Amino acid sequence: MNDPVVSEFWNEAGSLEDHEGYLARLAADPHTNAFIICFDEKPAGYFEAYWAKEDRIGAHYDADDFDQGWHVLIGDFRYRGRAFASAWMPSVSHFLFLSDCRTQRLVIEPRIDNTKMHRNLAQCGYADIKEIVFSHKRSRLGMLLRERFFDEALLIPKSNTPNIRKT
């Protein structure tokens, strides 16, 4: 949370006690779960999953009972960038869809100026729905449908490079 890149979007920089308090509040919240993202068993990032209808985002669209929302950060700079996002983002989506078979939609609301995140979401199948104004930020609502995720095999990252044929 104290990394300048993370802090710019999360605004949660602070002491170890501040971070422990933040995680303790999440652990006590029955509608939110916290997870660590690892690459080769090394912690690289963090994400929170929550029931969208019970969260502030639920008031900004027609939320279903089992829609899940999520927030994410990649704290280790070695695992940032498009190549890694194409691995962890579909994995997070897959995990959330498998965690509850009733979940038909995933939502996320990154800050409006987080252009890298918006680009990565689009590449991973999330539709850009609308702008949302919260008291603490302006965001874009992204949404991924279960049917699209599985029908289009979005777990498999799409390459941005053209196919090269050997002749």
Side-chain angles (χ1 to χ4, degrees):
M1 294 291 190
N2 292 331
D3 178 288
V5 173
V6 172
S7 180
E8 177 183 356
F9 293 104
W10 276 69
N11 298 314
E12 291 290 340
S15 67
L16 179 59
E17 293 78 23
D18 293 332
H19 301 313
E20 288 171 342
Y22 179 88
L23 292 173
R25 287 188 298 279
L26 278 182
D29 184 347
H31 92 280
T32 303
N33 290 299
F35 302 92
I36 300 294
I37 296 171
C38 294
F39 285 99
D40 295 324
E41 300 182 26
K42 295 179 188 94
Y46 165 84
F47 83 96
E48 300 167 354
Y50 58 89
W51 296 110
K53 195 168 189 175
E54 299 172 13
D55 190 79
R56 65 179 173 238
I57 196 173
H60 293 275
Y61 79 104
D62 186 21
D64 287 337
D65 290 341
F66 299 102
D67 288 357
Q68 290 188 63
W70 58 287
H71 303 121
V72 66
L73 67 87
I74 303 300
D76 188 328
F77 71 91
R78 295 173 296 181
Y79 300 104
R80 291 184 185 143
R82 189 180 303 202
F84 287 101
S86 68
W88 64 257
M89 193 174 289
S91 297
V92 167
S93 300
H94 193 226
F95 173 81
L96 292 174
F97 280 129
L98 293 181
S99 71
D100 195 309
C101 63
R102 300 168 296 182
T103 295
Q104 298 301 308
R105 297 186 293 190
L106 301 179
V107 293
I108 188 166
E109 31 79 17
R111 223 168 66 185
I112 203 159
D113 61 343
N114 193 343
T115 56
K116 290 179 183 177
M117 184 64 164
H118 293 289
R119 181 192 66 229
N120 290 332
L121 286 166
Q123 185 176 345
C124 292
Y126 281 76
D128 182 5
I129 303 299
K130 67 177 185 175
E131 182 175 326
I132 298 175
V133 178
F134 294 110
S135 61
H136 66 293
K137 69 178 181 175
R138 285 179 53 222
S139 299
R140 296 286 316 164
L141 174 64
M143 184 179 293
L144 179 61
L145 303 178
R146 172 186 283 275
E147 183 176 9
R148 179 174 188 202
F149 182 80
F150 289 106
D151 285 354
E152 296 180 23
L154 294 178
L155 180 61
I156 303 165
K158 305 292 186 263
S159 172
N160 284 340
T161 58
N163 290 332
I164 299 172
R165 287 181 42 190
K166 290 184 179 182
T167 57

